[in-house]
Amino acid sequence: MIKLVKKFINKVLINIFQKKKHIKLGLYGPPNAGKTTLANRICQDWLGEDMGKVSNIAHETREIQIKEQISLKKDGKELSFNLVDTPGIATKIDYEDFMKVGMKEKAAKSRAKEATKGVIDSIKWLDEMDVVIVVLDATKDPYSQVNITIIGNLAARDIPVLVVGNKVDLKKANMKKVQAAFPQYELIGISAKYGKNVDEFYEALFVLAG
Amino acid sequence: MLTLQIVPYAEISGLSSIGRIRKLLNIAKENKIVLLEGRLTKEEETELIKVTMEEINKNFRGIELAVLEPEQGDMGGLAKIRKGFANVLLGNRTGLTVIGPANVVKQIKKDPNKIQLLTQESRSRKKKKKK
Ligand SMILES: Nc1nc2c(ncn2[C@@H]2O[C@H](COP(=O)(O)OP(=O)(O)OP(=O)(O)O)[C@@H](O)[C@H]2O)c(=O)[nH]1
Ligand SMILES: [Mg+2]
């Protein structure tokens, strides 16, 4: 864990000190975990605007979204990055699932089509990231292979990772279980929607960035 | 009817990454559940997801995927990555990979050392357990 944190710190520091112009901070995770909700929270807090549309229907984000030059400032320190919100990664997409939540067949099919392209783009963009926040739904089974595949890939590519368990406002949220699934990662439980622990989340970003 | 196809590691070890993915996905697209001895590399796993997405259509809705790592205990799936980095990069004949077509396998529940396949028709009635 310490090694990983160090790696994260080094990477961020090196990027900042080398004045690499824009570090790309990516939000990755399965569909519906709250990536866009967290992106909106970050953008609202630091820019006063939203980033993207949130929905309880999965695959709401189907194209890579980039918000440039977000600066977090605290105690004279500054952390700047381009925030990249990505489509949730899934191994299956069934248009009938969208129909079950009230979409018409045609709309459901085109959503499914766009969603498959979104997943492909998310995976293609993995290599572009300097730092990644993996957003998981803390009420869901953390052992889902998509989670493991994403985090494993980032590790294999040496991209520093911060794992966030979202939706801790819900009773079903189980951070212990998430931690058990990813024992060598530093985990933060937050509620992106209600702002719970979001200050600690920023804190973690700052600590990591020196 | 449920069909399981066991793929010994020897059957994919000589193939290229693309060849491996093609072979496994073709079996899944025949509505069979693939039990692969061993596992793909992490990059092959994402490639498998990518190719799966490209091929989704009316008849093929994607896959359920689970990888069981050996000697995991309560260390979780990623302990291995940090411990045996080379293994992850090279793929491995240890462990077990389950690939189920989404229209047959509704969900794969994974605990560190147990996999449960919940199949479509049966929901709660028929649960297949694998150790
Ligand atoms: N209770 C609760 N709900 C949340 C929280 N964060 C997000 N949600 C809800 O979860 C759903 C999905 O949120 P999104 O932000 O659209 O999720 P996403 O990860 O961007 O999903 P995709 O774009 O489909 O990949 C929405 O209904 C949100 O309101 C949270 O902290 N608590
Ligand atoms: Mg989204």
Side-chain angles (χ1 to χ4, degrees), chain A residues 32 34-37 53-55 59-62 85-88:
Chain A
N32 223 44
K35 297 177 293 299
T36 306
T37 305
K53 251 185 82 197
V54 164
S55 166
H59 301 285
E60 181 64 18
T61 309
R62 297 185 292 284
D85 184 21
T86 65

Side-chain angles (χ1 to χ4, degrees), chain A residues 52-146:
Chain A
K53 251 185 82 197
V54 164
S55 166
N56 62 335
I57 306 175
H59 301 285
E60 181 64 18
T61 309
R62 297 185 292 284
E63 286 177 3
I64 302 273
Q65 304 292 324
I66 304 174
K67 192 64 107 181
E68 304 210 314
Q69 283 298 73
I70 299 178
S71 277
L72 274 59
K73 294 194 187 72
K74 202 168 173 268
D75 306 329
K77 288 176 290 182
E78 189 170 348
L79 176 62
S80 300
F81 51 83
N82 291 347
L83 187 63
V84 184
D85 184 21
T86 65
I89 296 179
T91 56
K92 60 176 181 186
I93 293 170
D94 189 341
Y95 73 90
E96 283 178 310
D97 289 344
F98 303 139
M99 290 172 69
K100 279 180 202 147
V101 289
M103 289 181 82
K104 292 256 176 13
E105 183 171 342
K106 213 174 149 198
K109 279 183 172 163
S110 75
R111 187 185 182 93
K113 186 81 214 160
E114 289 169 18
T116 60
K117 293 203 177 105
V119 173
I120 293 168
D121 281 345
S122 289
I123 292 172
K124 281 186 183 157
W125 273 67
L126 267 174
D127 265 333
E128 301 288 316
M129 297 301 144
D130 298 297
V131 180
V132 168
I133 297 162
V134 174
V135 182
L136 306 180
D137 185 333
T139 68
K140 295 255 165 75
D141 176 17
Y143 291 102
S144 144
Q145 191 61 38
V146 162

